[in-house]
Amino acid sequence: MPASKDEIVAANRDAWNDAADRHRAHAQYAALLEGFATPGFSVLDDTLTGRLQTIGLRGKTVAQLCCNNARELLSVKNLGAASVAGFDFSEAFLAQARELAAAGSIEVELVQTDIARIPASFDQRFDVALVTIGVLSWMPDLAEFFTTARRILKPHGILVIYEQHPILNMYDSRGTQLQPLPDESYFKAEPLRFDDGLDYWNEETYEAQPCYWHFHKMSDIVMALLHAGFSLEDFEELPHNVGDYYGFENQPQQLPLSYILVGRRES
Ligand SMILES: C[S@@+](CC[C@H](N)C(=O)[O-])C[C@H]1O[C@@H](n2cnc3c(N)ncnc32)[C@H](O)[C@@H]1O
């Protein structure tokens, strides 16, 4: 186990950069390039689209924390946001984001940074901050993460989290069928080390840089948000898969597979 938070973040960044070429070579990437060449293209599902429409995007400045190739952020711009900015520590994925944006001549600001170190020039710049699918478990420190989210939002700005449910940390993410018994405790304190790669598009394993995934309980997430100075405006646990857990959907005894949470910066 790396000794410090900084070492964990550095290891994770190397692992993400390593995975980027594999995603770039995937048919999904070609489909995104083609998709964004069409005006108005969006990859957002009905749950997130509906929520963003209720909040209203017209005239809004929107940030995405851990934007990866920015496919969701570019969709937000296409849905009518005034301006969008994406933050991620992986230069290799941000290069793909620039290419996707260029395919549709979509204006986007892309910033390579560890989330905890977003420059102060972005403080209070955004009306809406977005966190989606597969982000929170990469964060070694939720308090720091939500403090950053609060810092970049304008007073009373809105944070939308649309994520995989943390109960899924108990199950192997590459399991396509619901396993009868979980592999891990929901209360696991140490991060899980992966060294077989982050290629969740091809679902191929390879000898990779080790990286570290954290088991934050739902109560940890909600309490860290409140302690960082957000009020809770809405929170719903959902039965549909937003990641790789397709085989877990439509079960008679349904696990929660995702959730949407809306917080507001208090002052
Ligand atoms: C699973 S991906 C997000 C995928 C995105 N929601 C989508 O569906 O396309 C997680 C992203 O978090 C980024 N990331 C992880 N830890 C980070 C950190 N400490 N600072 C900045 N970016 C980070 C990774 O580079 C990666 O692009």
Side-chain angles (χ1 to χ4, degrees):
M1 245 320 270
S4 71
K5 224 163 39 181
D6 283 350
E7 284 170 343
I8 289 179
V9 169
N12 289 351
R13 185 194 55 226
D14 291 348
W16 276 103
N17 276 327
D18 267 6
D21 278 349
R22 291 169 184 271
H23 279 204
R24 202 177 183 296
H26 194 276
Q28 271 198 61
Y29 186 73
L32 287 174
L33 268 178
E34 201 183 316
F36 281 113
T38 306
F41 177 74
S42 169
V43 298
L44 305 184
D45 69 7
D46 290 348
T47 302
L48 188 53
T49 304
R51 182 60 60 155
L52 292 173
Q53 280 169 344
T54 303
I55 290 166
L57 290 173
R58 292 272 158 221
K60 300 278 171 61
T61 52
V62 181
Q64 186 176 14
L65 300 175
C66 301
C67 65
N68 193 259
N69 63 21
R71 65 187 187 114
E72 293 153 320
L73 187 66
L74 299 175
S75 303
V76 168
K77 181 75 171 80
N78 280 349
L79 288 174
S83 65
V84 295
F87 302 90
D88 202 287
F89 63 13
S90 167
E91 187 48 47
F93 274 106
L94 290 178
Q96 294 176 19
R98 281 185 207 101
E99 199 174 36
L100 293 177
S105 306
I106 302 167
E107 264 184 55
V108 58
E109 190 172 1
L110 295 163
V111 183
Q112 193 261 323
T113 175
D114 172 20
I115 288 306
R117 293 191 162 76
I118 291 179
S121 54
F122 290 98
D123 287 2
Q124 303 203 15
R125 275 262 307 267
F126 300 100
D127 298 297
V128 178
L130 184 61
V131 175
T132 61
I133 315 165
V135 166
L136 293 182
S137 282
W138 291 111
M139 298 300 129
D141 184 338
L142 282 181
E144 189 176 58
F145 180 80
F146 285 119
T147 301
T148 305
R150 181 182 186 280
R151 174 164 72 77
I152 66 166
L153 280 169
K154 297 177 185 172
H156 310 294
I158 288 185
L159 174 66
V160 178
I161 303 176
Y162 184 40
E163 260 283 14
Q164 193 160 275
H165 199 286
I167 203 163
L168 292 175
N169 288 334
M170 298 173 72
Y171 299 90
D172 183 350
S173 66
R174 292 189 171 122
T176 48
Q177 293 302 313
L178 178 59
Q179 296 113 266
L181 284 174
D183 300 311
E184 301 284 355
S185 166
Y186 184 66
F187 299 93
K188 187 176 169 69
E190 286 291 296
L192 192 63
R193 175 185 153 133
F194 291 109
D195 39 27
D196 58 358
L198 290 170
D199 188 2
Y200 54 88
W201 276 9
N202 293 293
E203 294 188 353
E204 266 172 28
T205 56
Y206 53 97
E207 213 173 296
Q209 309 273 357
C211 57
Y212 300 89
W213 177 260
H214 298 79
F215 280 41
H216 301 306
K217 306 189 296 291
M218 189 60 89
S219 50
D220 296 340
I221 295 166
V222 172
M223 293 314 295
L225 176 99
L226 296 178
H227 284 146
F230 285 93
S231 56
L232 192 54
E233 296 239 314
D234 202 5
F235 176 37
E236 190 180 3
E237 291 168 296
L238 299 162
H240 64 262
N241 165 58
V242 292
D244 296 332
Y245 290 87
Y246 300 102
F248 287 50
E249 285 183 308
N250 304 316
Q251 301 293 320
Q253 299 85 19
Q254 184 63 55
L255 283 170
L257 300 183
S258 56
Y259 68 95
I260 191 156
L261 185 156
V262 181
R264 187 181 287 275
R265 180 179 156 154
E266 279 190 321
S267 55

